[in-house]
Amino acid sequence: MAEPKQRRAGYGKGLTGELLAEFLGTFVLILLGCASVAVAVAGLPGSGRQTDSFGAANWLIVAFGWGFAVVFGVYVAGGVSGAHINPAVTLAFAVRRAFPWVKVVPYMLAQLVGAFAAAAVVYSVYSWAIDAFNAKAGVPRTESLDTFAIFATFPAEYFGGSWWGPLLDQVVGTAVLVLLIFALIDARNSAPAANLGPFLIGMVVTTIGLTFGPNAGYAINPARDFGPRLWTFLTGWGELALPGTHEWFSFYFWIPIVGPLIGAVVGAVVYDLFIGQVVAARTSAPEPGRAGDTSS
């Protein structure tokens, strides 16, 4: 009888496996999220299944589409990488010393590549609807803000070209996101049981879309915005994508990157200041930063 051989550690055991999970989780997030916007903006109106213009019902498609996209992205990657699927969330965990700083940049890169790849797939599927929408509107792709919005974000016209308003929106929206994520995963607090955490995190994103979304498209995730933005730049949307310029905004691309990163730190600090330190004083139960690893 042959002696049993010790199984060698595969590529999925260490950081490589975590990066693959972050790539795929972010891919699922952006694939379903951007596709929901494509449905609302170009798919339904161009298919003959919707006769009225974009309205409240379409916004609900977008809000719930992104919410459930987060749910399934987290379920895909959660057991391997913790399913950050958002550079701002990765930064927040590192700031709280619940995630190794050495993994921050690799995680962010995996998330960005996943978002870029997902945007490519959405474009491939919806390119006919996008072209038909632009042809009907009589605008070239370089001027089509509506179809650009399938992939990336822009500020509301009422900001009047101000950077401060959209930046504040992204800081606040991401702070709310991170604060509520920490509340939902904190086993020392009242974290949901029966593996409902991913669903409720997705509903947090839905709620943010319904409460802050019209201001600046609620990117609240640098990879979610910049990955698809880079794709649109390469496929013909020009200055709408990079540097992010249109009639009422200019050089906008950095706001959905910087705003969420600042907001994530704010959300982490606020949660720890008001809740984290209190529950830590009452119990010593561990709080997860990444599946199987809470070292700094």
Side-chain angles (χ1 to χ4, degrees):
M1 183 175 179
E3 295 182 1
K5 296 181 180 180
Q6 184 177 4
R7 181 175 295 178
R8 291 182 299 175
Y11 68 86
K13 184 176 179 61
L15 178 61
T16 301
E18 296 169 26
L19 298 182
L20 288 172
E22 283 297 301
F23 168 87
L24 187 58
T26 309
F27 179 89
V28 169
L29 163 65
I30 303 305
L31 179 73
L32 300 180
C34 285
S36 74
V37 186
V39 167
V41 170
L44 279 177
S47 68
R49 295 177 175 87
Q50 177 178 318
T51 57
D52 54 342
S53 59
F54 188 100
N58 300 75
W59 188 256
L60 289 176
I61 292 172
V62 173
F64 280 97
W66 277 108
F68 281 107
V70 171
V71 171
F72 295 119
V74 174
Y75 276 126
V76 164
V80 177
S81 67
H84 296 183
I85 59 176
N86 182 340
V89 172
T90 299
L91 177 63
F93 276 124
V95 167
R96 299 182 80 212
R97 295 177 295 177
F99 185 74
W101 278 101
V102 69
K103 295 182 179 182
V104 168
V105 172
Y107 262 53
M108 289 181 174
L109 289 176
Q111 293 154 1
L112 179 62
V113 174
F116 180 85
V121 174
V122 172
Y123 174 82
S124 298
V125 173
Y126 275 101
S127 59
W128 292 272
I130 289 169
D131 290 341
F133 181 95
N134 289 339
K136 184 177 180 179
V139 296
R141 182 173 293 186
T142 54
E143 299 176 12
S144 180
L145 188 62
D146 289 327
T147 55
F148 169 74
I150 292 171
F151 300 97
T153 65
F154 62 90
E157 190 171 0
Y158 48 69
F159 285 119
S162 167
W163 287 348
W164 169 240
L167 181 63
L168 178 62
D169 170 80
Q170 288 299 290
V171 171
V172 172
T174 312
V176 171
L177 171 68
V178 168
L179 187 153
L180 294 179
I181 287 175
F182 287 162
L184 289 169
I185 68 171
D186 193 345
R188 307 165 304 176
N189 198 351
S190 56
N195 205 22
L196 283 175
F199 175 78
L200 293 176
I201 290 172
M203 294 307 97
V204 169
V205 173
T206 299
T207 302
I208 292 171
L210 294 175
T211 53
F212 292 98
N215 281 334
Y218 72 112
I220 58 176
N221 180 336
R224 170 266 175 275
D225 188 85
F226 190 72
R229 183 181 293 272
L230 182 58
W231 174 260
T232 58
F233 176 74
L234 296 175
T235 51
W237 274 269
E239 291 187 352
L240 275 176
L242 291 172
T245 298
H246 189 57
E247 295 174 5
W248 64 84
F249 58 89
S250 62
F251 208 73
Y252 182 77
F253 81 95
W254 63 273
I255 290 178
I257 298 174
V258 174
L261 294 176
I262 296 172
V265 175
V266 171
V269 170
V270 169
Y271 182 79
D272 281 341
L273 182 63
F274 286 85
I275 302 296
Q277 294 182 14
V278 177
V279 294
R282 298 184 177 189
T283 178
S284 59
E287 179 186 1
R290 180 185 64 78
D293 185 359
T294 58
S295 60
S296 59

